[in-house]
Amino acid sequence: MRYTRVSVDGAPVWGRVEGDDVHLLSGSPVDGDPSVTGSVPAATAVWLPVVVPPVFYAVGMNYRRHIEHARALGDPNGVVPVRPEVGYRANNALTGHNAPIVKPDGVEGRFEAEPELVAVIGRTLRNATYEEAREAVLGWTIGNDVSARTWQHQDRTFWRSKNSDTFKPMGPWIETDVDALAQTTTLRVNGELRAEFATGDMVFDPYDYIVEITRHNTMHPGDVLWMGAESTCQVEPGDTVEVGISGIGVLSNPVLAETGRP
């Protein structure tokens, strides 16, 4: 099953994607079993982030090749983690499939995209076992972790380098029937393949993180967990970035320069 959120007459509506249509739903599949209330063509749908999470968890440095790349650039965090540690991102950074990634005027240096698997939590969890963590994942979606690297190194936190508006495209839907860790992740810019890697080739898998998180924090339906990337890629205004994960779909976003800033 593929669940998503679309804008209908300016309001967010949950939907179920089937073929060329998005069947509109009476409520959220996270909360129950909603009924179909209508449909819109998928080709003309206005796609929203697939969920607005109560908590937006994000993993960094979870693929060995990414860690080696960071170490080569002199990043002190370029070491293989010994336990699953998670960070947080801001909901204001979320945007949907086909929506623009806006590069702010003040960004200089590397402006990069990272293709990521995203787990969407479907039930309340505390002190979860590994098996309970597996059962708690409602489904999987795709994220593009956009980063302004100069800001990342200038600031004490990631508040603007990772969390500026539009820096976290997520979508186009939640796929509930896929072995996400057996897939292949790709990153294309203007149709050209820039990265390809085994999605599941992680240091710690999503369930390891869920077990560790729930030792301290209660996870709730709708929480998301972004799983990191093996590779990154420079992008610029005028580019179109496509993040694909086999068995799930393709998340596509144009990159625009900021205009009309007050």
Side-chain angles (χ1 to χ4, degrees):
M1 198 77 71
R2 289 177 169 176
Y3 292 111
T4 192
R5 293 168 68 248
V6 295
S7 178
V8 178
D9 296 329
V13 179
W14 279 92
R16 187 174 67 233
V17 182
E18 295 182 3
D20 296 331
D21 294 310
V22 178
H23 296 291
L24 306 177
L25 301 176
S26 60
S28 165
V30 175
D31 299 326
D33 187 18
S35 58
V36 174
T37 61
S39 66
V40 296
T44 59
V46 178
W47 305 86
L48 300 175
V50 292
V51 67
V52 178
V55 181
F56 185 163
Y57 295 98
V59 172
M61 299 295 183
N62 197 34
Y63 287 82
R64 292 181 186 276
R65 184 176 173 186
H66 192 179
I67 294 167
E68 292 166 1
H69 176 70
R71 185 187 304 124
L73 293 174
D75 188 337
N77 295 315
V79 295
V80 178
V82 297
R83 62 188 178 91
E85 296 183 71
V86 73
Y88 301 91
R89 299 291 178 262
N91 284 348
N92 69 277
L94 290 169
T95 194
H97 174 58
N98 289 338
I101 298 164
V102 179
K103 182 180 180 180
D105 288 341
V107 169
E108 297 178 352
R110 289 184 295 146
F111 187 63
E112 296 184 335
E114 298 182 32
E116 302 202 10
L117 176 69
V118 179
V120 181
I121 303 302
R123 64 180 65 172
T124 301
L125 284 174
R126 185 74 160 89
N127 291 318
T129 65
Y130 190 87
E131 187 57 35
E132 287 170 339
R134 288 176 58 91
E135 294 173 353
V137 175
L138 171 69
W140 307 90
T141 190
I142 302 169
N144 183 353
D145 179 14
V146 175
S147 303
R149 299 300 186 191
T150 299
W151 285 354
Q152 184 173 337
H153 299 306
Q154 287 176 339
D155 300 340
R156 290 184 299 168
T157 70
F158 292 161
W159 74 276
R160 58 176 178 163
S161 64
K162 293 277 190 178
N163 295 315
S164 292
D165 291 348
T166 77
F167 275 24
K168 294 294 173 283
M170 183 171 65
W173 46 65
I174 302 166
E175 173 61 68
T176 64
D177 187 21
V178 64
D179 181 357
L181 300 184
Q183 306 307 314
T184 300
T185 299
T186 56
L187 175 63
R188 287 181 166 84
V189 178
N190 303 326
E192 178 184 341
L193 184 66
R194 298 292 184 87
E196 182 175 15
F197 57 90
T199 308
D201 193 18
M202 303 171 179
V203 178
F204 295 104
D205 70 27
Y207 316 116
D208 293 323
Y209 276 94
I210 293 169
V211 168
E212 181 66 16
I213 290 168
T214 61
R215 290 181 59 205
H216 310 281
N217 300 353
T218 300
M219 297 190 80
H220 298 279
D223 283 353
V224 296
L225 175 63
W226 289 43
M227 290 308 306
E230 184 186 86
S231 302
T232 69
C233 178
Q234 175 80 15
V235 296
E236 295 293 346
D239 289 340
T240 297
V241 185
E242 294 178 322
V243 178
I245 300 181
S246 58
I248 300 177
V250 177
L251 170 66
S252 179
N253 300 91
V255 183
L256 304 180
E258 184 179 40
T259 58
R261 186 174 184 174

